[in-house]
Amino acid sequence: IQHALHMSQEERVARWQVMSKVLWNSDVSRWAAAFIKDLAANKASRTRSKMALATKESDNR
């Protein structure tokens, strides 16, 4: 907070512009799509792990 209170106008404007760009490019539709993509990737990863574990257990029998 101290830094924010004492930063120059130029720095405030620069930071605001970066933040605005991020916000304009990050709407709920993009967030939802990224979330669903991450869920699918996680599920695929867990499935591969389960298959590898099952194969390892089968080999040990």
Side-chain angles (χ1 to χ4, degrees):
I1 293 174
Q2 185 72 14
H3 180 74
L5 291 172
H6 296 284
M7 74 174 63
S8 68
Q9 182 177 358
E10 293 82 17
E11 184 177 359
R12 285 196 310 268
V13 169
R15 288 170 172 258
W16 179 83
Q17 288 172 337
V18 170
M19 180 188 65
S20 292
K21 186 177 181 179
V22 169
L23 292 174
W24 281 108
N25 292 324
S26 301
D27 65 2
V28 69
S29 297
R30 289 178 195 234
W31 177 85
F35 184 78
I36 298 297
K37 182 180 175 183
D38 288 347
L39 281 177
N42 190 309
K43 182 177 181 181
S45 176
R46 285 191 318 216
T47 299
R48 285 191 299 273
S49 294
K50 287 179 183 178
M51 290 174 63
L53 182 59
T55 300
K56 185 176 178 181
E57 288 175 352
S58 176
D59 291 345
N60 288 338
R61 291 182 189 162

